[in-house]
Amino acid sequence: MITLRAAELVRADLPLVRPFRTSFGVQELREAVLVRVVCDVEGVEAEGWGECVAGSDPFYSAEWGLGAWVLLREVLLPMLAEEPLTTIEDTPAAMSEVRGNRMAKAAAEMAITDAALRARGVSLKAYLGGERDRVECGVSIGIMDSPDDLVAAVGTYLGDGYTRIKCKIEPEADVAFIAAVRETFPDIALTVDANAAYTLADADLLARLDAFDLDYIEQPLAEEELMEHAALARLIETPICLDETIVSAKSAEDAIALGACEVINIKQGRVGGLAEASWTHDVCVEHEIPVWCGGMLETGLGRAANLALASLPGFTMPGDTSPSSRYFHEDITAPFEMAPDGTIAVPTGPGLGVAPLPGIMARVVAEREKVEL
Ligand code: SMG
Ligand code: MG
């Protein structure tokens, strides 16, 4: 039995080491909404932490940090405290009355999972059935001012050891930019992410990317456009990878059945938590769809969860699992570091295997609120 005894919301503001420009805006600060819980786990009291992946505004996803904060405070955390959970896997069902809001639910689930696993001395990797000890690091590069700037940035990241380069694209910053990268680096694993910046009417333009031997094009069209992605897949050769569209294991199943994607990016926050993420992984494995772990500029807490997830056997492509230094001068946990071979170690300690460092939290916490359960 897991009983939620206390909960607190914490916002940590971490400046990014460099601005991250995408088709939906420029981000310079990660305002991370964190959930801290204290649970009674079979008589043992344990603390747990979760991170909400939502951003500072509702421009990338419908969910955003402030909305998640209010929902967690007013609805989700009190709901989870109503009665004890029999197992960790009961957590999503205990919140199922609330529609959508998957990123907020995932944050609560991560905190409870962390607490329960800490009490039991089990790592998240072991709990999820992870197999890898180390995970390959890809990097996601924001839109640059010119093809030359992008080539320079790619060169720097390759020098750091990243094993796959993903470039954000948008109309006017696409074919010429990627042509320059491919010409300079003929052999690298290269992908692009459009964050829904195109429509099916752009199919001819997107087909020009076929010349660059991309591993995939990520989320070219709007998140609801399952049929249009299936239609686009018939018009271009580059495999389509879906990100924003995949919000559950069921939606992955539908997308695969429709031929809307050949690759899937799994983000635990986007699908409503770690349990749903592992079910989504299972669907992809069953259908032989390669998966990789997405990123949401998470602090070390969310990063630890991503690494544990990425250690599952179906995660066969390098993901956006970059080390802490890619994002922050100072992370809130002990920093995740990339080895020269471009890999990062999956945490092995109980729960997430990392926790916020009080000295750093004292500098970056912008807001804290106790939740009335
Ligand atoms: O965590 O390295 C990261 C960011 C990876 O590009 C990334 N994420 O659509 O895949 C994506 C974006 C969404 C987040 S942008 C704030
Ligand atoms: Mg994406």
Side-chain angles (χ1 to χ4, degrees), residues 169 171 174-176 198-212 217 220-221 228 231-238 240:
I169 56 168
D174 43 36
V175 178
Y198 297 88
T199 70
L200 191 53
D202 297 312
D204 288 346
L205 169 72
L206 295 172
R208 290 171 61 198
L209 295 170
D210 289 344
F212 309 127
I217 174 172
L221 313 178
E228 287 79 357
L232 181 64
R234 293 189 289 272
L235 298 171
I236 64 175
E237 279 166 26
T238 306
I240 292 176

Side-chain angles (χ1 to χ4, degrees), residues 4-25:
L4 179 57
R5 296 275 187 227
E8 188 184 16
L9 294 166
V10 179
R11 200 184 88 229
D13 288 358
L14 301 179
L16 297 177
V17 292
R18 61 191 73 82
F20 189 52
R21 184 174 143 206
T22 60
S23 56
F24 55 90

Side-chain angles (χ1 to χ4, degrees), residues 60 166 168 193-195 218-219 243-244 265 267 270 292 295 320:
Y60 166 73
K166 154 169 147 182
K168 294 286 185 181
D193 185 359
N195 287 115
E218 183 177 341
Q219 197 69 40
D243 174 356
E244 287 91 320
N265 148 348
K267 292 175 179 164
R270 197 194 60 225
W292 55 274
D320 291 340

Side-chain angles (χ1 to χ4, degrees), residues 284-298:
C284 294
V285 169
E286 191 185 321
H287 294 280
E288 296 179 11
I289 292 289
V291 287
W292 55 274
C293 185
M296 291 290 284
L297 307 173
E298 291 95 338

